[in-house]
Amino acid sequence: MSPVRRCSRTACRQPAVFTLTYVYADSTAVLGPLAAYVEPHCYDLCAMHADRLTAPRGWEVVRLPVETAGGGPGSDDLEALADAVREAARPPARPADDADGPDGMRRGHLRVVRSDPSRPDPRT
């Protein structure tokens, strides 16, 4: 199977560069950049079929802008991804009720409790 997605139109062998989605509630056809994943209710179109696209009477066609210069993710996308990775790598903040006890020894949900030195050890 070829990694290049093809136009959804019958007998068209051109590579897809746009994705067409219908919003039935608004009577709108939305034509935008090629979606990252194949969706069952969307249609991938080549440039020629996207240019020729018409909608049924009473429907509106919304053409979203397509970045043709980059060919990859933009700098804003890369910055957002880097911020998300940094946030995920940051250790979680400790809640106030999870603070160390008076002896300062706490590990997770367990805490070391020292016995009272004035009481004898019952094990001896």
Side-chain angles (χ1 to χ4, degrees), residues 17-97:
V17 291
F18 296 97
T19 297
L20 173 65
T21 307
Y22 291 106
V23 182
Y24 292 97
D26 297 332
S27 298
T28 304
V30 180
L31 185 67
L34 188 63
Y37 301 100
V38 176
E39 295 289 335
H41 300 289
C42 296
Y43 301 92
D44 296 335
L45 299 176
C46 65
M48 181 184 70
H49 285 118
D51 287 340
R52 292 181 178 177
L53 177 71
T54 60
R57 184 174 295 153
W59 281 58
E60 180 182 0
V61 176
V62 175
R63 295 178 187 267
L64 300 176
V66 178
E67 291 182 24
T68 56
S75 63
D76 290 343
D77 295 334
L78 294 176
E79 287 179 32
L81 180 61
D83 290 340
V85 169
R86 283 188 209 107
E87 183 67 28
R90 187 174 299 147
R94 293 176 59 180
D97 64 332

Side-chain angles (χ1 to χ4, degrees), residues 95-114:
D97 64 332
D98 203 28
D100 292 340
D103 56 3
M105 298 182 67
R106 184 173 182 100
R107 176 168 257 170
H109 65 282
L110 302 175
R111 180 176 25 174
V112 175
V113 179
R114 305 264 186 226

